[in-house]
Amino acid sequence: MIPPSIGSPACLPQELVSSPVFLLGRLGFEIKRRAIEELEAAGSSMYHYSVLALLGEGACSAQAAIADVLKLDRSQLVGLLDELEQHGFIERRRDPSDRRRHTVSLTAEGRDQLGRLRALVRRIEDDFLAPLDQQSREALYGLLLQVARHHDARFSRPAEQAAAVG
Amino acid sequence: MIPPSIGSPACLPQELVSSPVFLLGRLGFEIKRRAIEELEAAGSSMYHYSVLALLGEGACSAQAAIADVLKLDRSQLVGLLDELEQHGFIERRRDPSDRRRHTVSLTAEGRDQLGRLRALVRRIEDDFLAPLDQQSREALYGLLLQVARHHDARFSRPAEQAAAVG
DNA sequence: TATTGTTATACTCTATAACTATA
DNA sequence: TATAGTTATAGAGTATAACAATA
């Protein structure tokens, strides 16, 4: 009783499937969704991971700087740092030279947590890129990085321009 | 007076930059943001474009089917179709064989609008992928499609498996 | 007056749940 | 009773604005 033109179509419109933009948007959304889901199940979040990763490289410490690099709102960062501090992963201390500022630093436990989250994210990544072999993954990464650098200078590595990928 | 360890760091943590997942998430978000922004400035939206593109290929007509393919909520689709109908881009008619259903179809004006939006999206795409030459774009597209197909069967083309990319 | 971190508020999406009319 | 479309409601997430302490 179902006419062929009605009913659930088999696939997405070819016009959208053939668009790199549409594909990129969908995949970006999906990988983000997965990461959020799995990190939340582990009692953490992508935001936590980003902040810990940043502090792990010792790049910056003032809250405003952290917010700028990660493109977060300062007021949003406050809540994140509260949570990380409650778990004992970071410390906030007043900067003696400018008492308005808070110096944020990673604790030993924070470093451990960073290691756990890093492993988890690597696994998520590995699952997501499952259909690609190592060579294809590197090719994909290289192409994405070219595009990212073109739009956002912060993706450029200042010194080690020719370092290995993974 | 600014100590070197404070202040705004030059770039993102290497750990995040070297992660395909992070990169994919960022780029997907950014391209989506641009598309939303530019289509909105043109009085339309990515949702409108998706619906028109789907109808343009004549694949389906019942609202529930449209919602399923585009992964939209049925209640969300109602508002979108309202807008498209107000602009005269689509028509809703009751299906005589099942008066609960609405048969949605593209008008001549809708087809014109689809053409305009298609051109706009192509331009956005072209700008976004500017740093890549044609060969790199095709390589990127191929890799993204492999991943997309692995996670969502609707990205598979039923017949023309070996068709051209762009 | 300007800036840092903070708190409070408003707004936009989206997801869920109820409602109607048909089957 | 179940389903298609619709409407109404609630929640999460995010952006904006006000605030207190310090420069």
Side-chain angles (χ1 to χ4, degrees), chain A residues 8 21 24 32 36 40 51 59 64 71-73 77 88 93 99 106-108 118 122 126 128 130 140 149 153 161:
Chain A
S8 189
V21 174
L24 204 55
K32 203 173 166 186
I36 289 170
E40 192 175 317
V51 172
K71 273 201 176 165
L72 298 172
D73 195 90
L77 184 63
R93 274 165 298 185
R99 288 186 44 75
L106 210 56
T107 64
R118 180 182 294 139
R122 292 244 170 100
D126 203 58
F128 194 75
L140 175 61
R149 281 183 178 155
Q161 200 75 13

CSV table of all heavy atoms in Angstrom, one decimal, chain A residues 8 21 24 32 36 40 51 59 64 71-73 77 88 93 99 106-108 118 122 126 128 130 140 149 153 161:
chain,number,residue,atom,x,y,z
A,8,SER,N,10.3,5.9,3.6
A,8,SER,CA,11.6,6.4,3.9
A,8,SER,C,12.6,6.1,2.8
A,8,SER,O,12.8,5.0,2.3
A,8,SER,CB,12.1,5.6,5.2
A,8,SER,OG,13.2,6.2,5.7
A,21,VAL,N,31.8,20.3,2.6
A,21,VAL,CA,31.4,21.1,3.7
A,21,VAL,C,30.4,20.3,4.6
A,21,VAL,O,30.5,20.3,5.8
A,21,VAL,CB,30.7,22.4,3.2
A,21,VAL,CG1,30.2,23.2,4.4
A,21,VAL,CG2,31.8,23.2,2.5
A,24,LEU,N,32.1,17.4,6.3
A,24,LEU,CA,33.0,17.9,7.4
A,24,LEU,C,32.1,18.3,8.6
A,24,LEU,O,32.4,18.0,9.7
A,24,LEU,CB,33.8,19.1,6.9
A,24,LEU,CG,35.1,19.4,7.6
A,24,LEU,CD1,36.0,18.2,7.6
A,24,LEU,CD2,35.8,20.6,6.9
A,32,LYS,N,32.6,14.9,17.9
A,32,LYS,CA,32.5,15.8,19.1
A,32,LYS,C,31.4,15.1,20.0
A,32,LYS,O,31.6,15.0,21.2
A,32,LYS,CB,32.0,17.2,18.7
A,32,LYS,CG,32.4,18.2,19.7
A,32,LYS,CD,32.1,19.6,19.2
A,32,LYS,CE,32.1,20.7,20.2
A,32,LYS,NZ,31.7,22.0,19.8
A,36,ILE,N,32.2,13.9,23.8
A,36,ILE,CA,31.4,14.4,24.9
A,36,ILE,C,30.8,13.3,25.7
A,36,ILE,O,30.9,13.2,26.9
A,36,ILE,CB,30.3,15.4,24.4
A,36,ILE,CG1,31.0,16.7,23.9
A,36,ILE,CG2,29.3,15.7,25.5
A,36,ILE,CD1,30.1,17.6,23.2
A,40,GLU,N,32.0,12.2,29.4
A,40,GLU,CA,31.0,12.4,30.4
A,40,GLU,C,30.8,11.2,31.2
A,40,GLU,O,30.7,11.2,32.4
A,40,GLU,CB,29.7,12.9,29.8
A,40,GLU,CG,28.7,13.4,30.8
A,40,GLU,CD,27.5,14.0,30.1
A,40,GLU,OE1,27.6,14.7,29.1
A,40,GLU,OE2,26.4,13.7,30.6
A,51,VAL,N,41.6,22.0,29.0
A,51,VAL,CA,42.3,22.8,29.9
A,51,VAL,C,43.5,22.1,30.5
A,51,VAL,O,44.6,22.6,30.6
A,51,VAL,CB,41.3,23.2,31.1
A,51,VAL,CG1,42.1,23.9,32.2
A,51,VAL,CG2,40.2,24.1,30.6
A,59,ALA,N,52.0,26.2,29.1
A,59,ALA,CA,52.1,27.4,28.2
A,59,ALA,C,51.6,28.7,28.9
A,59,ALA,O,52.2,29.7,28.7
A,59,ALA,CB,51.3,27.1,27.0
A,64,ALA,N,42.5,34.5,32.0
A,64,ALA,CA,42.1,35.2,30.7
A,64,ALA,C,42.8,34.6,29.5
A,64,ALA,O,42.3,34.4,28.5
A,64,ALA,CB,42.4,36.7,30.8
A,71,LYS,N,39.4,29.5,23.2
A,71,LYS,CA,38.2,30.2,22.7
A,71,LYS,C,37.0,29.9,23.6
A,71,LYS,O,35.9,29.6,23.1
A,71,LYS,CB,37.9,29.8,21.3
A,71,LYS,CG,38.6,30.6,20.2
A,71,LYS,CD,38.0,30.5,18.8
A,71,LYS,CE,38.7,31.4,17.8
A,71,LYS,NZ,38.3,31.2,16.5
A,72,LEU,N,37.2,30.1,24.9
A,72,LEU,CA,36.1,30.0,25.8
A,72,LEU,C,35.8,31.3,26.4
A,72,LEU,O,36.6,32.2,26.3
A,72,LEU,CB,36.4,29.0,27.0
A,72,LEU,CG,36.8,27.6,26.7
A,72,LEU,CD1,37.3,26.9,27.9
A,72,LEU,CD2,35.5,26.9,26.1
A,73,ASP,N,34.6,31.5,26.9
A,73,ASP,CA,34.3,32.7,27.5
A,73,ASP,C,34.9,32.7,28.9
A,73,ASP,O,34.9,31.6,29.6
A,73,ASP,CB,32.8,32.9,27.6
A,73,ASP,CG,32.4,34.3,28.0
A,73,ASP,OD1,32.2,35.1,27.1
A,73,ASP,OD2,32.3,34.6,29.2
A,77,LEU,N,34.8,29.7,31.8
A,77,LEU,CA,36.0,29.0,32.3
A,77,LEU,C,36.0,28.9,33.8
A,77,LEU,O,36.5,28.0,34.4
A,77,LEU,CB,37.3,29.8,31.9
A,77,LEU,CG,38.6,29.2,32.3
A,77,LEU,CD1,38.8,27.9,31.6
A,77,LEU,CD2,39.8,30.2,31.9
A,88,GLY,N,40.7,18.4,42.7
A,88,GLY,CA,42.1,18.4,43.0
A,88,GLY,C,43.1,18.3,41.9
A,88,GLY,O,44.3,18.0,42.0
A,93,ARG,N,46.1,30.1,42.6
A,93,ARG,CA,46.7,31.0,43.5
A,93,ARG,C,46.7,32.4,43.0
A,93,ARG,O,46.9,32.7,41.8
A,93,ARG,CB,48.2,30.6,43.8
A,93,ARG,CG,48.2,29.5,44.9
A,93,ARG,CD,49.6,28.8,44.8
A,93,ARG,NE,49.8,28.2,43.5
A,93,ARG,CZ,50.9,27.4,43.2
A,93,ARG,NH1,51.8,27.3,44.1
A,93,ARG,NH2,51.0,26.8,42.0
A,99,ARG,N,47.4,41.3,42.0
A,99,ARG,CA,46.5,40.5,42.9
A,99,ARG,C,45.1,40.3,42.2
A,99,ARG,O,44.3,39.7,42.8
A,99,ARG,CB,46.4,41.2,44.3
A,99,ARG,CG,47.6,41.0,45.1
A,99,ARG,CD,47.4,41.5,46.5
A,99,ARG,NE,46.2,41.2,47.1
A,99,ARG,CZ,45.9,39.9,47.6
A,99,ARG,NH1,46.8,39.0,47.5
A,99,ARG,NH2,44.7,39.7,48.1
A,106,LEU,N,48.8,22.9,37.3
A,106,LEU,CA,48.4,21.5,37.3
A,106,LEU,C,49.0,20.8,38.6
A,106,LEU,O,50.1,21.1,38.9
A,106,LEU,CB,48.9,20.8,36.1
A,106,LEU,CG,48.2,19.6,35.5
A,106,LEU,CD1,46.8,19.9,35.2
A,106,LEU,CD2,49.0,19.2,34.2
A,107,THR,N,48.2,20.0,39.3
A,107,THR,CA,48.7,19.2,40.4
A,107,THR,C,49.2,17.9,39.9
A,107,THR,O,49.0,17.5,38.7
A,107,THR,CB,47.6,19.0,41.5
A,107,THR,OG1,46.6,18.2,40.9
A,107,THR,CG2,47.0,20.3,41.9
A,108,ALA,N,49.8,17.1,40.8
A,108,ALA,CA,50.2,15.8,40.4
A,108,ALA,C,49.0,14.9,40.0
A,108,ALA,O,49.1,14.2,39.0
A,108,ALA,CB,51.0,15.1,41.6
A,118,ARG,N,43.8,11.4,28.1
A,118,ARG,CA,44.5,11.3,26.8
A,118,ARG,C,44.4,9.9,26.2
A,118,ARG,O,44.1,9.8,25.1
A,118,ARG,CB,46.0,11.6,27.1
A,118,ARG,CG,46.9,11.5,25.8
A,118,ARG,CD,48.3,11.7,26.2
A,118,ARG,NE,48.6,13.1,26.7
A,118,ARG,CZ,49.4,13.4,27.7
A,118,ARG,NH1,50.0,12.4,28.4
A,118,ARG,NH2,49.5,14.7,28.1
A,122,ARG,N,42.4,9.0,22.7
A,122,ARG,CA,43.1,8.3,21.7
A,122,ARG,C,42.3,7.1,21.2
A,122,ARG,O,42.3,6.8,20.1
A,122,ARG,CB,44.5,7.8,22.2
A,122,ARG,CG,45.5,8.9,22.5
A,122,ARG,CD,46.7,8.9,21.5
A,122,ARG,NE,47.5,10.1,21.6
A,122,ARG,CZ,48.6,10.2,22.4
A,122,ARG,NH1,49.1,9.2,23.0
A,122,ARG,NH2,49.3,11.3,22.4
A,126,ASP,N,40.8,6.4,17.6
A,126,ASP,CA,41.1,5.2,16.9
A,126,ASP,C,39.8,4.5,16.4
A,126,ASP,O,39.8,4.0,15.3
A,126,ASP,CB,41.9,4.3,17.8
A,126,ASP,CG,42.7,3.3,17.1
A,126,ASP,OD1,43.5,3.7,16.3
A,126,ASP,OD2,42.5,2.0,17.3
A,128,PHE,N,37.0,6.0,15.8
A,128,PHE,CA,36.3,6.8,14.7
A,128,PHE,C,37.0,6.7,13.4
A,128,PHE,O,36.3,6.7,12.4
A,128,PHE,CB,36.3,8.3,15.2
A,128,PHE,CG,35.4,9.1,14.4
A,128,PHE,CD1,34.0,9.1,14.6
A,128,PHE,CD2,35.9,10.0,13.5
A,128,PHE,CE1,33.2,9.8,13.9
A,128,PHE,CE2,35.0,10.8,12.7
A,128,PHE,CZ,33.7,10.7,12.9
A,130,ALA,N,38.6,4.1,12.3
A,130,ALA,CA,38.8,2.7,12.0
A,130,ALA,C,38.9,2.3,10.6
A,130,ALA,O,39.8,1.5,10.2
A,130,ALA,CB,37.7,1.9,12.7
A,140,LEU,N,44.9,12.3,5.9
A,140,LEU,CA,43.7,13.1,6.4
A,140,LEU,C,44.2,14.2,7.4
A,140,LEU,O,43.8,15.4,7.3
A,140,LEU,CB,42.7,12.2,7.1
A,140,LEU,CG,41.5,12.9,7.7
A,140,LEU,CD1,40.7,13.6,6.7
A,140,LEU,CD2,40.6,11.9,8.4
A,149,ARG,N,45.2,25.7,9.6
A,149,ARG,CA,46.2,26.8,9.7
A,149,ARG,C,45.8,28.0,8.9
A,149,ARG,O,46.1,29.1,9.2
A,149,ARG,CB,47.6,26.2,9.3
A,149,ARG,CG,48.3,25.4,10.3
A,149,ARG,CD,49.6,25.0,9.8
A,149,ARG,NE,50.3,24.2,10.9
A,149,ARG,CZ,51.2,23.3,10.7
A,149,ARG,NH1,51.6,23.0,9.5
A,149,ARG,NH2,51.8,22.7,11.7
A,153,ALA,N,45.6,31.0,13.0
A,153,ALA,CA,47.1,30.9,13.1
A,153,ALA,C,47.5,30.1,14.3
A,153,ALA,O,48.7,29.6,14.4
A,153,ALA,CB,47.6,32.3,13.2
A,161,GLN,N,58.3,22.7,13.0
A,161,GLN,CA,57.4,22.7,11.9
A,161,GLN,C,57.4,21.3,11.2
A,161,GLN,O,56.4,21.0,10.6
A,161,GLN,CB,57.9,23.8,10.9
A,161,GLN,CG,56.8,24.2,9.9
A,161,GLN,CD,55.8,25.1,10.6
A,161,GLN,OE1,56.0,25.6,11.7
A,161,GLN,NE2,54.7,25.3,9.9
